[in-house]
Amino acid sequence: MRLMTTAAWTVLALALAQPAFAEIDAAASRASAEDLEAVIVTGTRRADRTAFESAAPIDVISESVLESTVSDELMEKLVAAVPSFNVQRLPAADGQAFVRPATLRGLSPDHTLVLVNGKRRHRSAVLGGRGAQGVDLGQLPSFAIKRIEVLRDGASAQYGSDAIASVINLILNDQPGFAAFGQAAQYFEGDGTMYEGGFRAGWALGDGGHLVATLTYTDSEATSRTRQRPDAIAFQAANPNLRVRNPVQRWGQPDRDATRFVVDAAVPLNDAVELYGFATYSDSSGVTDFNWRNPSNDTAYRNSSAFPGWNLAQLYPAGFSPKFGQDETDYAINAGLRGELGNGLAWDFNASLGQDKVDYFISETINASFGPQSPTAFRAGILTQREQNLNLDFNKPLELGFLAETANLAFGAERRVETYKIEAGDPMSYQVGPGAVAGLPSGSNGFPGYSSAQAGSWDQTSYAGYVDLDLAWTESFSTNVAIRHEDFSEFGSTTDGKIAARYEISPDWAVRGAVSTGFRAPTPGQLNSTRTSQGLDTTTLQLFTAGRLSPSNPVAQFFGAKPLEPETSTNYSVGLVYRSAEHGLTGSLDYYQIEVDDRFASSPNFTVTPAIRAELLKLGVPGADSLTSVSYFTNSFNTRTRGLDAVGSWKTHLADGDLTLTAAYNWNDTKVTRSKLTEVSKLARINIEDGLPEHTGNVAATYAYGRFEGTARVRYYGDWTDAQSQSSADLIQTFGARTFVDLSASAAITEQVKVTIGAENIFNTYPDEATFQASRGLIYSRNAVYDTDGGLYYVRLNAKF
C-alpha cells in the first residue's frame, strides 16, 4: 500500500498559499484565446471544463497542427508541437529501429499513459534497451485524429499505471463529411522518398450519432548517411578480385510501408442510452541493415573439421550485412454503452481488447555452426502484447449549498488483464550446430532467434477503484481531489492520490497547482522475457554477443537479480496562465518537479565465464556459446526531474490578413539521486541525466491572406550526450546545439482543395559527427533526438467535402 506522503500534502498546502500553477494550449499550435474555450475531456471528469479552467496543465493540439508536419508518424508530429516530447531514431537497434522510444519530460517512454477517446491504449510488444515497454504511437494515423490533448502532469490517481510524466489522449474525428489527402516527400540527398495518402468518410447517424472511417497508406524508402568502413576499404585493397559493396552497410531510416485503418461510431438507442465504439488496425513492415561481417576477422569464417572443404567465404566472399526486419500487426477494439439516469447519474460501461504482434525476420545471414546445412533467411520469433480492459465509470453533479457552483463526483472500477507471449523462431535460428565446437557462432547471425526455452506466455491481472471529486468553493477558487487503489496479481497493491487547486485572479489570469503520487507496474514482458543481441566493438571491430536475462533466471539471480518492483513517483507543479480575447494573447509559465523511485534499467554487463556459458546453454539461451556478457532488468535508480515550460501566442490582424505568432520553451533537468548499481553503470547515469537536450524550444509564425497561407518555424535543441558501452572502451561524446528552420506555403485552389509545398530543415543542417562511431561507417549518432538525414522537401494536397 502506498499513500501520499505528509511532505507531499504539506508542499501542496504551501503551493496553495502562494501563486500556484498551470498550463495552456499546445506549444507549437496556432493557439488563440478561442482555443482555451474548447471543452476538454482529459484530466477531468466534468463535462464542461475548458483548458483555461483546468486545474492541471493541458495542451490541445489541433488537426491543422498535425497536418503541418511531414512525417507519417504521429510521434514526429508531437515532437513539433510539444518541446518536452522527444523521439530517438535508433537505426540498426533491433526492434527499436521500427518501434522507436518516445519520451516526455525526459522520463521513460512507458511513463506516459496513452488514451484513445479516453480509453487506455495497449503497449507495444517490443521492449526497449533500457527496459521500457511503451505504446507504439506509430500504429495510429494522424489523419483519423481530430485533436490531441496532452495532460502534462502526474495522473495515476485518475487513470492508473504509467501516468507518471503525462497522459496523451487522442480524440478521433467524429465529424460528418469526406476528406482525402496525398503527400510526396524526399530528402535533399535524393533518398528517403515517402508517399502517403488517405481517405476519411463520415456520416451522421440518428439524432447525434456518427460513423467515421479512415484509411491511410504509407510507403517510405530507406535513407543512408554512411561512409565506407575503413576496414572494408582495407579488405577491398587486399582482395582486388572481389567486389565489396560501397557502403557495406547502411545507416539511416529503414524501408517501411504501412496500411492503417480506423473506425469510430456512436448510435443513440433512445433518449438516455448510446451505443458507441471504435477500432484501429495497422499492418506494417520494415527492413534495415545490421553491422557488416568482415571475412578477415569474423569468427563465422573459421574453418571447421565438421564441414571439410567448406568456408563461409564460398557463400559471402566479400562479407555480409544481415538484413533485419519485422512484420507488425496491431489492432484494438473498444465498445461500450453510456447514458444517464433520471437523477443525473451518468454511467459508462466499456470493454476493450488490444494486441500488438511483431514477427521478426532476418535474411542475408547464416547460422554458421550448421555450415552448408544452414539457410540464409530465418523467421526469428514472434512477440505479442495483448490487453483486455473492463471499465465501469459513473459521474454525478452534486448540488451543495456551501459551494459557489455545482460539484462533480466521479467514481468507477476497472479490471485489466495483460498478457505477453513469445513464440520461438525457426529451429536453426537458435539451435547450436556441430561447427560450434570449432568456434563457429550459433544462431542466425545478427539476431539469434527466440528459442523454445525462451518461448512462453505470461499474464498479469489487476483490479482498481477510484473516486474523483471536483469542488468550486467560490467563484474564483476550486479544488480537485482523486484517490485510486489498484491491486496486481504479480506484486501487490498501491494506493495513489492527487489534489489540485486553481485560483482565478481575474477573468484573464489564473494560478493553479497540483501534488500527486504515481506508479508504473512492471509488465509481464519485463518480468519474464529473455533476449540475446549482437553488436560491434568499434575499437577492436570484433562482434560481441550480449544476453539480457529475466530477473527470475538463476544466472541473473547469481549476479544479484531480484524481483522487479513498481516504479513510484511524486509530482509537484505550480504555474500561471493568461489569456486576453481582446488582444489575441495567451501565455503560461509552468514549473514542475517529478521524483521517481526504483526506475527500471539494465544492470551492468557481467562477464560470461565458461561455467556460466555452459549453464546458459543448458537453459536454452540462443547464442549462449558465443555470449560475452549478460545483464538483467532491475530497479536501478531514483531520479528527480525539474523543468519549466513557457508558452506564448499572439493572434492579430495585419495588412488585410491574419498573423499568428507562437513560441514555446522547455527546460528539463534530470538527476540521479540514488543509484542501486555499481560504478560500472556510469553510462546509464549519463544517458539518464544528459542523454536528452536540457533546453528545447520552437517559434512559429503563420500569415493567412485570402486563399494563401505561409508558415515559418524554428526548432531548437540544446546540447546532449551519447554514452555507449562496449568491451574495449566506453564511448562518450557530447553533441552541440542545433537549430532547424521549416517553411511552407499553401494555396486554396477551390473552397474544397488546398495544395501545400514546403521544406523541413530548409538549410540542410546536420548534427556533429559521431567521431567514435566512424569505424563502423556511421556518420551521425544513432541516438540523436532529431532527424539526422538533412533537409526534406514535400508537396501535399488536401481535399474536404
Side-chain angles (χ1 to χ4, degrees), residues 307-443:
F307 315 113
W310 181 85
N311 186 280
L312 187 56
Q314 298 168 9
L315 183 63
Y316 300 123
F320 65 102
S321 299
K323 300 294 182 288
F324 174 74
Q326 70 173 43
D327 294 319
E328 184 171 10
T329 304
D330 185 286
Y331 71 83
I333 303 171
N334 197 298
L337 289 168
R338 57 193 173 204
E340 184 174 323
L341 302 179
N343 60 359
L345 178 66
W347 56 273
D348 184 342
F349 176 70
N350 179 270
S352 66
L353 171 65
Q355 178 175 291
D356 182 54
K357 183 177 181 179
V358 176
D359 189 346
Y360 288 132
F361 58 87
I362 187 167
S363 61
E364 299 183 32
T365 184
I366 196 166
N367 182 338
S369 69
F370 281 98
Q373 304 167 21
S374 171
T376 59
F378 304 87
R379 306 302 297 194
I382 300 174
L383 308 179
T384 303
Q385 172 75 12
R386 184 182 178 91
E387 298 180 30
Q388 303 172 66
N389 298 326
L390 287 175
N391 291 83
L392 181 58
D393 301 294
F394 297 94
N395 205 65
K396 177 81 167 71
L398 298 177
E399 297 292 343
L400 301 175
F402 58 88
L403 296 178
E405 298 179 8
T406 302
N408 191 82
L409 171 67
F411 57 96
E414 178 184 64
R415 176 183 182 268
R416 294 180 56 220
V417 179
E418 185 175 350
T419 303
Y420 193 75
K421 183 179 180 181
I422 298 177
E423 297 177 55
D426 296 338
M428 278 196 184
S429 72
Y430 60 84
Q431 289 177 345
V432 179
V437 176
L440 291 174
S442 66

Side-chain angles (χ1 to χ4, degrees), residues 32 65 72 182 209 239 266 271 372 434 539 667:
S32 66
V65 173
D72 66 302
N239 299 272
D271 292 340
T539 302
W667 165 69

Side-chain angles (χ1 to χ4, degrees), residues 59-121:
D59 292 346
V60 181
I61 302 170
S62 67
E63 182 180 4
S64 62
V65 173
L66 296 176
E67 291 179 358
S68 69
T69 303
V70 181
S71 176
D72 66 302
E73 294 198 358
L74 182 60
M75 63 187 72
E76 295 284 0
K77 298 177 183 292
L78 283 170
V79 169
V82 182
S84 60
F85 191 83
N86 289 283
V87 176
Q88 293 174 293
R89 291 188 169 267
L90 300 177
D94 295 354
Q96 290 188 99
F98 312 102
V99 184
R100 297 178 294 144
T103 64
L104 199 145
R105 288 183 166 175
L107 297 180
S108 176
D110 49 11
H111 286 161
T112 295
L113 175 64
V114 177
L115 309 174
V116 178
N117 282 356
K119 310 302 180 184
R120 178 183 285 266
R121 177 77 178 180

Side-chain angles (χ1 to χ4, degrees), residues 541-704:
L541 295 181
Q542 297 295 311
L543 291 170
F544 60 86
T545 305
R548 193 261 300 154
L549 307 176
S550 163
S552 61
N553 184 287
V555 175
Q557 292 177 349
F558 171 80
F559 286 115
K562 297 179 180 179
L564 289 176
E565 299 177 354
E567 298 172 306
T568 57
S569 69
T570 305
N571 291 51
Y572 309 87
S573 62
V574 60
L576 176 69
V577 64
Y578 168 77
R579 68 173 180 181
S580 172
E582 180 182 356
H583 299 99
L585 286 171
T586 65
S588 70
L589 190 65
D590 180 12
Y591 176 83
Y592 56 87
Q593 177 172 301
I594 308 169
E595 298 172 355
V596 186
D597 293 344
D598 297 321
R599 285 186 64 170
F600 291 175
S602 292
S603 73
N605 290 319
F606 298 97
T607 301
V608 175
T609 65
I612 294 172
R613 192 172 292 113
E615 181 65 22
L616 292 171
L617 282 169
K618 191 185 304 180
L619 292 170
V621 176
D625 56 303
S626 56
L627 274 178
T628 56
S629 65
V630 295
S631 63
Y632 51 84
F633 290 148
T634 183
N635 296 100
S636 304
F637 296 99
N638 294 351
T639 62
R640 182 193 64 229
T641 298
R642 291 173 174 167
L644 181 72
D645 286 316
V647 177
S649 173
W650 179 42
K651 186 173 183 179
T652 187
H653 192 68
L654 178 66
D656 296 327
D658 293 315
L659 174 67
T660 300
L661 301 176
T662 64
Y665 164 77
N666 172 253
W667 165 69
N668 194 85
D669 180 61
T670 296
K671 298 296 182 186
V672 175
T673 56
R674 178 171 177 253
S675 175
K676 299 182 178 181
L677 303 180
T678 65
E679 188 58 28
V680 180
S681 64
K682 66 179 181 179
L683 297 184
R685 178 189 291 264
I686 292 172
N687 282 319
I688 288 176
E689 294 186 339
D690 303 313
L692 296 172
E694 188 173 320
H695 303 276
T696 55
N698 56 56
V699 178
T702 297
Y703 184 71

Side-chain angles (χ1 to χ4, degrees), residues 34-200:
E34 289 83 357
D35 294 329
L36 290 171
E37 299 302 329
V39 174
I40 59 172
V41 297
T42 309
T44 178
R45 305 288 179 178
R46 297 185 68 112
D48 57 353
R49 182 70 73 213
T50 68
F52 182 74
E53 297 167 336
S54 171
I58 299 287
D59 292 346
V60 181
I61 302 170
S62 67
E63 182 180 4
S64 62
V65 173
L66 296 176
E67 291 179 358
S68 69
T69 303
V70 181
S71 176
D72 66 302
E73 294 198 358
L74 182 60
M75 63 187 72
E76 295 284 0
K77 298 177 183 292
L78 283 170
V79 169
V82 182
S84 60
F85 191 83
N86 289 283
V87 176
Q88 293 174 293
R89 291 188 169 267
L90 300 177
D94 295 354
Q96 290 188 99
F98 312 102
V99 184
R100 297 178 294 144
T103 64
L104 199 145
R105 288 183 166 175
L107 297 180
S108 176
D110 49 11
H111 286 161
T112 295
L113 175 64
V114 177
L115 309 174
V116 178
N117 282 356
K119 310 302 180 184
R120 178 183 285 266
R121 177 77 178 180
H122 60 277
R123 310 175 197 275
S124 165
V126 177
L127 275 67
R130 300 176 193 170
Q133 188 182 5
V135 173
D136 182 7
L137 288 170
Q139 300 302 318
L140 294 160
S142 61
F143 194 57
I145 296 172
K146 179 168 66 175
R147 71 178 187 276
I148 300 176
E149 297 180 358
V150 181
L151 169 64
R152 285 190 280 121
D153 197 25
S156 290
Q158 296 163 295
Y159 296 105
S161 179
D162 305 350
I164 287 179
S166 65
V167 177
I168 297 176
N169 191 6
L170 312 175
I171 311 299
L172 299 178
N173 197 306
D174 58 359
Q175 299 302 305
F178 299 89
F181 81 99
Q183 178 176 284
Q186 186 179 76
Y187 284 93
F188 290 5
E189 294 286 342
D191 61 4
T193 303
M194 179 185 73
Y195 299 101
E196 185 183 9
F199 180 78
R200 185 177 68 236

Side-chain angles (χ1 to χ4, degrees), residues 703-738:
Y703 184 71
Y705 179 84
R707 293 186 174 186
F708 303 97
E709 183 177 276
T711 297
R713 180 174 59 202
V714 179
R715 296 173 284 132
Y716 173 80
Y717 300 86
D719 298 351
W720 60 282
T721 301
D722 187 6
Q724 299 182 37
S725 174
Q726 58 183 31
S727 57
S728 62
D730 292 338
L731 308 178
I732 303 173
Q733 182 179 352
T734 297
F735 295 85
R738 285 294 182 270

